[in-house]
Amino acid sequence: MFVIATAGHVDHGKSTLVRALTGMEPDRWAEERRRGMTIDLGFAWTALPSGRTVAFVDVPGHERFVTTMLAGVGPCPAAMIVVAADEGWCVQSGEHLAALDLLGVRHGLLVITRADLADPAPALAEARTRLRGTCLEAIPALAVSGATGQGLPELATALDRLAAGLPPPDTDGPVRLWADRVFTMTGAGVVVTGTLAAGTLRAGQTLHLGGEPVRVRGLQTLNTSAGAVTATARVAVNLRGPVSPSRGDALLTPGAWHLTTSADVRLSPGEPPKGDLFLHIGSAAVPTRIRPLGEGTARLSFARPLPLRVGDRALLRDPSRSAVTTGVVVLDVRPPVLTRRGAAAARGAALAAAGASPGAAKAAPGTRDAVPRDAVPGGGLPGAADLLRWHGLLSGADLATMGVTVPPSPLPGGWHADPEHWAGLRKALVEAVTGAGDRRLTVEAATHLLGLPDRRLTRALIAPPLTVEAGVIGRQDLAPPPLPAHLRHAIDRLRAELAGRPFEAPNARRLAELGLAGRNLVAAERAGAVLVVTDGVVLLPDAADRAAERLRSLPAPFTVSQARVALRTTRRVAVPLLEMLDGLGRTIRREDGSRTCTAVN
C-alpha cells in the first residue's frame, strides 16, 4: 500500500479530488459536508492502474486547523500539493509547503485543480516558483478537474510512478504507530488508527502505549480484517487493556524506543523561536519549552514523554500563530544535565559538530525514508561515536533505542565506551586502589566507586599495574600494608564461623563481639577482607561469586524463597544479597519478582 497526504489552501478542491479518484467520501462528519469544508482528517483509498493500492489522508486547509493538518501529514512518506487554477497560490498553500519542507518530505505531486474553471498554466508557474529551493521542487505536476474528470487518468498514472519510486519501508523495524484517530466500538473496545510507516503489526502481539503493555486484539486495513499488516499501510488496531489513548499517542514495539521528556536538536536556519511552543511529530502536538544552546542548536523539554530517536524530524509552532515556527532534527534523546558555567555553549558546539563520525544515524523508522546528510540543516546526524563521546558509556541496547547503528562491542556485556572516557576510568581505578588504606579494593567496591553499571566493566579495566585475585583488586608493584593484628584475628574468627555456611551472616551483636564494627569494619572492607552487602550483613569477599555459582544450579526463574533455601540462609541475608547480584549484573530481576542468572559472570 502507498499512503499519501493532501496539502493546500482551504477550498482548493483537495476533498473533491480524493472523492473523484476513489469514489469515497473523505469528509466523515455531517458538519463538514454541510459547510463544504474539511475540519478533521479524512481517509479514502483506491486501486491504481498497476494494481497497487493508494490510501489518502485528506487534511483540512483552514488556518484554524493547522494542528489537525500536521497530525495527518506527519507520518506520511509523500504529499499531494493541491492548488486551485482559479485562485492560484494562497496563504495556506505556502504554510503547508513550509511544513512539508521542514519535515523533509521529498516525494509528492503538484496538482492544479479546477482546470475546467481557469487556465491552469499561471497557477502552475507560480507554484513551481514557490517550490523552488524546497525538498519538493522537482516533483511532477499536472492539471485536473475533479468535477469533469479531466486529467484523472493521468493523475492515477502519476501516483503509480510516485509509489514505484518511494524507498521500500523497513518492514522488520520497530513499530511506532502514531494514533490519528481513536474511537470505541461496542463489543470490540478501543480502536486506534494510524499510518504504519515501518515494521509489522500482528494480531495477538503485545505493544506499549504510554509505557503500559497493551495487546492487539484485532487488525483491519482498508476495512478488511487481517492477521498481520506490514508497512506502509493505513491500519486500525483493536486494543485490549485498561488504556484510554488519544490522538498523538504512539503504539510502540516494547524495548525499542526511548521515552524522553527532553531532547537536544538542530534548528532550521533562522531566528530561534521563543516562548510557549508546541512540538509536532507524527500526530502528536506537545507543549514544549526551548533553551537555545548556540550554533543553531537547542534543548527542548516536553510536557509528556515522547518516543524519539536520533534523526527524527519535527516542527515547532507558536500556538499564538497559525504558522509553523521552525523545524528541528533530533540529535540526542538522553541529553546530559547542564549545570556548570559555559556548559550550554560547549554542548551547542559539540552538537553542531555531530555527524563527522562513522556509523551516523539514519532517519528513525516510523516517519519517512533516510534524509541525505547534506539535506539535514546545519550538518549530519550523530553516530555511535558521537553519542559515546557525549555520554561516555552506553549499552548496545541504549544505542539501538537512541537510533544509531550499533557497532561490534569490544567490552563484556555488550557495553560500549568512548576511548577517552575508558582511559579516564582506568586511570581513576588505579588512583582509587593506590589511595586505599591497604592499596586494595574489592571489585564490588570499585564498581560502586566508579559509578559503573556492571562489575564486568570493572574487571575489564584491570590491567598492569593492577591485578585481581578472589574478587580483590591490588597493585602488583606495591605490597599492601599489613592489617593490624586485632583485625587479622577478627577476620580469622569470621572466616572460621562461615566455613561451613558461607551465607549465614552474623548479626550486628555478633559482629561487635568479633571486633568487626565501626572503624574496624570500614578498614576490613577497604582491605578487601570482607564484603559488606548492606548494613548488618557482612560476608567473606568471595560471597558474591559463590552465591552466583550456587544459584545457577536452580531452575530458572527462581524465587527469593528458593534462593534462600539454596544459599542456606535467612531472608535478612538473601534479599540484600540478591539485590547486590542484580546491581552487579549477576542476576536479572523479572517483573514478578523472580530472577534468572546471567550467562556471563
Side-chain angles (χ1 to χ4, degrees):
M1 186 190 305
F2 158 51
V3 183
I4 186 169
T6 63
H9 194 78
V10 62
D11 200 30
H12 274 210
K14 297 186 295 296
S15 299
T16 300
L17 182 59
V18 170
R19 194 179 300 116
L21 283 168
T22 67
M24 302 175 67
E25 177 55 70
D27 289 337
R28 295 180 289 116
W29 308 113
E31 175 70 7
E32 293 178 302
R33 293 190 288 272
R34 185 185 66 80
R35 297 172 60 181
M37 182 177 73
T38 300
I39 59 178
D40 199 359
L41 299 179
F43 310 101
W45 57 90
T46 191
L48 296 172
S50 67
R52 295 187 184 92
T53 298
V54 58
F56 294 94
V57 179
D58 189 33
V59 308
H62 197 282
E63 63 178 348
R64 291 203 307 269
F65 306 120
V66 63
T67 297
T68 304
M69 175 267 176
L70 293 174
V73 303
C76 291
M80 185 165 65
I81 300 176
V82 177
V83 180
D86 58 336
E87 292 191 18
W89 196 265
C90 294
V91 175
Q92 265 62 58
S93 307
E95 292 179 350
H96 287 198
L97 173 62
L100 293 169
D101 185 42
L102 292 171
L103 286 171
V105 178
R106 297 183 293 122
H107 305 278
L109 294 173
L110 171 61
V111 181
I112 307 299
T113 57
R114 300 182 189 170
D116 58 318
L117 300 181
D119 180 5
L124 175 59
E126 183 180 10
R128 277 293 184 207
T129 300
R130 300 283 187 169
L131 291 175
R132 193 172 300 145
T134 72
C135 294
L136 293 160
E137 66 175 341
I139 61 174
L142 64 165
V144 303
S145 169
T148 67
Q150 172 190 342
L152 291 184
E154 292 80 3
L155 176 56
T157 301
L159 286 167
D160 237 340
R161 286 195 297 266
L162 175 60
L166 287 174
D170 181 8
T171 57
D172 296 323
V175 168
R176 178 174 60 176
L177 181 74
W178 295 102
D180 54 32
R181 186 182 176 211
V182 178
F183 56 93
T184 302
M185 292 183 63
T186 303
V190 175
V191 177
V192 166
T193 73
T195 299
L196 181 64
T200 299
L201 286 169
R202 294 179 176 85
Q205 79 178 113
T206 297
L207 300 171
H208 276 187
L209 178 66
E212 298 295 330
V214 293
R215 188 174 177 83
V216 178
R217 185 176 182 178
L219 293 170
Q220 279 195 356
T221 180
L222 309 186
N223 283 350
T224 302
S225 296
V229 179
T230 58
T232 302
R234 285 294 305 172
V235 61
V237 188
N238 183 198
L239 299 176
R240 176 178 294 161
V243 292
S244 300
S246 57
R247 176 179 286 174
D249 290 339
L251 286 170
L252 306 171
T253 298
W257 298 91
H258 180 70
L259 289 170
T260 182
T261 55
S262 62
D264 285 349
V265 302
R266 180 177 289 120
L267 303 172
S268 58
E271 185 70 20
K274 299 177 182 178
D276 296 328
L277 303 170
F278 273 80
L279 181 88
H280 293 265
I281 181 166
S283 61
V286 180
T288 298
R289 290 183 291 106
I290 184 169
R291 177 184 179 182
L293 299 175
E295 300 286 340
T297 59
R299 175 159 299 176
L300 305 181
S301 299
F302 315 122
R304 64 176 175 87
L306 287 171
L308 300 182
R309 282 190 164 188
V310 172
D312 273 338
R313 284 179 175 267
L315 302 176
L316 286 173
R317 183 179 64 87
D318 183 345
S320 65
R321 304 167 51 203
S322 61
V324 170
T325 303
T326 191
V328 303
V329 177
V330 175
L331 302 179
D332 192 353
V333 296
R334 296 176 58 176
V337 176
L338 303 177
T339 55
R340 296 176 300 172
R341 182 184 297 273
R347 177 63 172 165
L351 292 169
S357 311
K362 298 180 179 180
T367 46
R368 49 184 51 87
D369 55 295
V371 180
R373 181 175 293 185
D374 58 5
V376 179
L381 295 176
D386 294 300
L387 294 176
L388 289 170
R389 186 164 55 252
W390 300 340
H391 295 276
L393 187 69
L394 293 167
S395 69
D398 291 332
L399 290 169
T401 59
M402 294 169 82
V404 298
T405 301
V406 181
S409 173
L411 299 177
W415 289 96
H416 299 257
D418 172 65
E420 185 175 343
H421 180 70
W422 188 252
L425 286 173
R426 180 164 282 158
K427 179 180 178 182
L429 180 58
V430 172
E431 292 174 349
V433 173
T434 304
D438 53 3
R439 304 189 187 99
R440 295 171 65 180
L441 280 176
T442 63
V443 171
E444 285 73 19
T447 302
H448 177 74
L449 186 66
L450 297 177
L452 295 175
D454 192 326
R455 72 189 302 272
R456 290 172 290 184
L457 294 172
T458 307
R459 286 187 172 273
L461 286 168
I462 299 171
L466 299 182
T467 60
V468 60
E469 183 177 353
V472 178
I473 308 170
R475 287 197 57 160
Q476 61 185 14
D477 57 338
L478 296 176
L483 285 173
H486 71 281
L487 271 185
R488 292 201 306 273
H489 178 63
I491 292 165
D492 287 343
R493 293 172 66 190
L494 176 66
R495 188 176 292 112
E497 290 193 6
L498 296 178
R501 298 175 70 100
F503 307 107
E504 196 174 88
N507 59 29
R509 179 178 178 179
R510 181 56 184 156
L511 285 172
E513 292 173 351
L514 291 171
L516 290 171
R519 293 181 179 178
N520 285 345
L521 181 59
V522 172
E525 183 184 19
R526 287 179 176 174
V530 297
L531 173 65
V532 179
V533 179
T534 189
D535 290 343
V537 178
V538 178
L539 299 171
L540 295 177
D542 62 349
D545 291 332
R546 296 180 68 176
E549 182 178 356
R550 188 171 297 186
L551 293 174
R552 281 200 298 273
S553 65
L554 292 176
F558 55 84
T559 65
V560 172
S561 179
Q562 290 171 322
R564 177 188 62 77
V565 172
L567 298 175
R568 298 173 63 197
T569 187
T570 63
R571 284 185 63 86
R572 178 181 72 90
V573 177
V575 171
L577 182 56
L578 287 170
E579 291 174 349
M580 170 177 276
L581 293 174
D582 294 340
L584 296 174
R586 314 295 292 276
T587 55
I588 299 174
R589 189 179 188 276
R590 295 152 54 100
E591 289 185 4
D592 62 0
S594 63
R595 287 172 167 83
T596 58
C597 290
T598 54
V600 180
N601 290 291

